[in-house]
Amino acid sequence: MTSHTSEGTIAWPADLAAEFRAKGYWEDRPLGAYILDTADRLPEKTAVVDGDLRLTYAELANRMDAAAERLLQLGLKPDDRIMVQLPNGWQFTVLTLACFRAGIIPVMALPAHRQYELSFLTELSEARAIAVPDVIKDFDHQAMAEELAVSIPALEIILVSGTAKPLNVRLEEILAPVKDVSAARARLDATAPSPDSPALFLLSGGTTGLPKLITRTHNDYAYNIKACSIPTGVTEDTVYLGTLPASHNFPLACPGILGILFAGGRTIMLPSPEPRKAFAAIEREGVTLSTAVPAVAQRWIEYQQEAGTSQLATLEVLQVGGSRLPDEIARKVKPVLGATLQQVFGMAEGLINTTRLDDPEDVICTTQGRPVSEADEVRIVDEFGEDLPDGVPGSILTRGPYTPRGYYRAPEANARAFTPDGWYASGDIVERRPDGNLIVQGRDKDMINRGGEKISAEEIESLVYRIEDVTMAAAIAMPDQVLGERLCLYITVKPGREVTLEQIQDLLRRTGVAAFKIPEHLVVVDELPTTKVGKINKKDLRADIAERLAAAGVHAK
Ligand code: OOB
């Protein structure tokens, strides 16, 4: 039977799917089954730590199944979608696992998203429920969810972590344990989702307009998790600190929270990577593995250099990825933090590359590693799609058992990002060394990578055009020492008119756009440079902003 979501999803060709099964990449088990395995094997071991709250595997499995049943009792059905916008905490983990068990599909929104992104994602996914915190940093997520439900009638159920208003459902009640979970477990086992069905929706970084939904199936995601666990050396002794937003593929499944739970290790959930709290958690829990974007790794290095703590004694591996880690920062990780660096070049669309823990220092510090699976196919091609020799940078194309063949309900985006024979073009410019390791040299996609958060230039430009006095707008990446890149906006305005950065920031805030997407620098020019075919020449603009920054004495890189 094809489900609603399967219809919007492009499946792998049948012969390849058969091969992935035959080779054992796809084990034909739903994600929840792996968690139950661990819970049966290590019931008393601690699985999840969030502040003072500790859940053993038996308690986690109990809450997972109890919650799955309650979600179904609320009226949600298998294949229904639920928007998940939760900070890193035990609630995120239990709710996500409960969805996997019930066959309900979580849409992995970010805590930073606001009305603008959430309404788009809710409509596209046709979500019937949303899970939000009550208030974080003075922002009322519950009120935002209520506004969404008013404008989108299909969104019927609001789950609130913390203090829920009377008409909403308190998430913690849904996630509470039961005395005896065995009946629930048997019922859920009997109606377990098909392993080829969508398990979750991840969000694409997006180059064209708003984010796209990436369907990840139980089979492909389980393999993603298992394949990533090997080069990172995950065992039941792994103690993992998750501080990046858990709805990102990287901290969720590369190997991330799910990889550690598959293996029987311990996960520590922290809503922010702020060094003082992160270091305290590392010391208290004896953390062995953590994940950072380059800006966070740099902050941790600076903090450690200043404070000279002895809190990191147990930290064995620090994974860094999401944007390009400068070689000079890479070289400081081991000497300063005492942990082995693992560079990770991955994407929510699938392919994950990592350096290996026993690689020579030159590989660890200057490359972004190689695919985690022997079944990952990678090609580096020129603008005509012809393969390039090692050492020559080109566009990366990839296929494999955990790289889906298309976005959800997005034929136009698929035509651009996927070749007819299923290769995904991420838009990264990559060089492959003769030893197989990849170096990310740049990208040919119109995106700003702000410390790992991806911003589509087109999305911002189309919003800025709402200001009547703006005649042309171009969003580009401006080099930045801390975040790698920030969003810089070039505009032209109607004669005699003035448009200020504050005005633009104000508009985007009022539109309910996530704060990380709000332009941080504005350059008003008389004319924007164009290419021979009349498109705005962003290469020239990037050179221009670099020049302006240098003239202003800002050393960006
Ligand atoms: C990760 O996933 P996304 O989907 O947020 O972004 C993917 C894009 C890549 O196409 C590339 O442009 C960039 O992020 N990227 C890197 C990088 N890792 C990701 N660019 C340079 N160096 C790296 N190490 O960002 C993601 C997903 C799973 C694991 C790790 C990162």
Side-chain angles (χ1 to χ4, degrees):
M1 199 186 75
T2 53
S3 65
H4 188 77
T5 42
S6 305
E7 277 166 25
T9 302
I10 299 174
W12 280 264
D15 55 335
L16 269 181
E19 184 185 326
F20 296 156
R21 289 194 164 81
K23 293 198 165 148
Y25 304 138
W26 290 2
E27 291 186 310
D28 275 335
R29 308 184 69 209
L31 288 166
Y34 294 90
I35 305 297
L36 289 170
D37 278 356
T38 315
D40 292 341
R41 194 163 58 87
L42 302 164
E44 298 311 322
K45 207 163 171 289
T46 304
V48 178
V49 179
D50 174 0
D52 292 335
L53 187 126
R54 306 177 83 81
L55 298 177
T56 65
Y57 274 94
E59 287 164 343
L60 177 67
N62 178 315
R63 284 177 186 259
M64 165 174 89
D65 280 358
E69 289 239 297
R70 291 196 193 96
L71 291 173
L72 296 169
Q73 282 155 11
L74 273 180
L76 291 170
K77 296 186 298 300
D79 203 45
D80 275 347
R81 276 74 58 205
I82 173 169
M83 299 287 302
V84 176
Q85 192 198 33
L86 292 172
N88 288 14
W90 67 271
Q91 297 92 334
F92 174 91
T93 307
V94 176
L95 178 63
T96 300
L97 297 178
C99 289
F100 294 161
R101 280 289 276 160
I104 295 166
I105 306 169
V107 182
M108 292 296 178
L110 297 175
H113 283 150
R114 292 293 175 264
Q115 193 90 17
Y116 179 69
E117 291 89 11
L118 292 183
S119 58
F120 171 81
L121 294 168
T122 306
E123 294 204 30
L124 176 60
S125 66
E126 297 175 308
R128 292 187 55 212
I130 183 166
V132 290
D134 47 10
V135 175
I136 298 184
K137 289 189 197 144
D138 292 336
F139 185 80
D140 191 337
H141 289 258
Q142 179 162 214
M144 175 171 61
E146 286 171 341
E147 279 172 40
L148 275 177
V150 168
S151 58
I152 307 173
L155 185 66
E156 297 160 64
I157 302 168
I158 300 177
L159 301 161
V160 181
S161 168
T163 310
K165 289 187 213 153
L167 286 180
N168 300 333
V169 181
R170 185 158 186 266
L171 181 62
E172 282 75 5
E173 274 171 29
I174 298 293
L175 308 181
V178 285
K179 264 218 181 81
D180 180 3
V181 81
S182 52
R185 178 168 174 172
R187 276 192 297 271
L188 292 164
D189 282 345
T191 55
S194 151
D196 281 332
S197 67
L200 72 162
F201 279 129
L202 294 175
L203 308 188
S204 78
T207 51
T208 49
L210 282 148
K212 287 173 288 295
L213 296 176
I214 306 163
T215 317
R216 304 296 301 260
T217 67
H218 289 267
N219 261 332
D220 100 62
Y221 216 48
Y223 183 57
N224 185 121
I225 293 161
K226 289 178 290 173
C228 285
S229 297
I230 297 165
T232 309
V234 177
T235 69
E236 63 180 69
D237 295 326
T238 302
V239 181
Y240 179 74
L241 176 67
T243 73
L244 300 181
S247 44
H248 273 300
N249 193 31
F250 189 14
L252 183 61
C254 304
I257 295 159
L258 294 172
I260 277 58
L261 296 178
F262 273 30
R266 187 173 1 135
T267 61
I268 321 299
M269 301 294 279
L270 209 63
S272 139
E274 193 268 310
R276 221 160 32 90
K277 289 198 185 118
F279 282 27
I282 291 170
E283 182 177 32
R284 193 178 59 238
E285 296 291 337
V287 167
T288 62
L289 170 69
S290 194
T291 301
V293 289
V296 167
Q298 198 177 348
R299 253 170 96 194
W300 285 16
I301 287 168
E302 279 163 14
Y303 182 84
Q304 177 62 12
Q305 279 173 330
E306 274 164 32
T309 77
S310 54
Q311 294 172 298
L312 305 182
T314 55
L315 189 66
E316 290 166 15
V317 177
L318 182 65
Q319 297 182 290
V320 182
S323 64
R324 180 68 151 90
L325 178 66
D327 296 356
E328 58 275 17
I329 298 174
R331 288 209 176 84
K332 289 186 188 156
V333 171
K334 182 88 196 185
V336 178
L337 301 178
T340 299
L341 167 66
Q342 178 173 58
Q343 295 213 39
V344 184
F345 163 42
M347 47 205 76
E349 285 84 351
L351 178 71
I352 308 294
N353 304 278
T354 71
T355 54
R356 306 307 197 251
L357 303 180
D358 59 357
D359 273 342
E361 199 195 306
D362 137 72
V363 171
I364 289 181
C365 295
T366 66
T367 85
Q368 283 65 58
R370 50 197 182 275
V372 293
S373 166
E374 69 209 356
D376 285 316
E377 297 179 82
V378 170
R379 289 171 60 198
I380 311 293
V381 300
D382 65 16
E383 70 256 52
F384 308 108
E386 299 294 328
D387 287 283
L388 289 165
D390 289 345
V392 181
S395 303
I396 186 169
L397 298 180
T398 186
R399 290 194 305 203
Y402 63 95
T403 301
R405 296 295 174 123
Y407 294 109
Y408 181 64
R409 289 191 183 169
E412 278 174 33
N414 288 345
R416 271 192 304 269
F418 291 84
T419 68
D421 44 0
W423 295 87
Y424 170 61
S426 76
D428 294 298
I429 303 294
V430 173
E431 170 192 335
R432 181 162 37 200
R433 306 196 332 175
D435 62 6
N437 287 296
L438 306 177
I439 301 175
V440 182
Q441 299 283 19
R443 60 170 185 264
D444 62 6
K445 55 185 164 186
D446 204 4
M447 178 195 94
I448 296 99
N449 189 337
R450 188 183 186 275
E453 296 293 6
K454 316 302 184 309
I455 309 164
S456 147
E458 191 183 301
E459 178 182 345
I460 301 308
E461 290 157 6
S462 68
L463 287 166
V464 172
Y465 280 120
R466 291 185 186 178
I467 301 176
E468 238 186 68
D469 288 339
V470 171
T471 45
M472 295 275 264
I476 60 156
M478 167 173 102
D480 181 77
Q481 203 152 33
V482 178
L483 292 170
E485 297 175 6
R486 287 180 198 264
L487 205 172
C488 169
L489 192 68
Y490 275 73
I491 58 168
T492 58
V493 297
K494 284 184 183 159
R497 297 306 175 96
E498 200 189 330
V499 174
T500 64
L501 181 62
E502 290 68 34
Q503 209 179 327
I504 293 169
Q505 292 175 332
D506 224 45
L507 166 88
L508 296 201
R509 258 184 230 117
R510 273 188 284 113
T511 312
V513 171
F516 68 83
K517 293 184 189 169
I518 292 179
E520 292 170 275
H521 195 77
L522 178 72
V523 184
V524 185
V525 288
D526 291 338
E527 212 180 328
L528 288 175
T530 50
T531 62
K532 280 191 204 112
V533 292
K535 286 208 295 189
I536 294 174
N537 190 335
K538 295 207 168 174
K539 209 171 146 202
D540 279 6
L541 291 179
R542 282 190 287 271
D544 184 70
I545 192 66
E547 234 169 73
R548 284 172 194 258
L549 290 173
V554 181
H555 298 288
K557 260 190 178 167

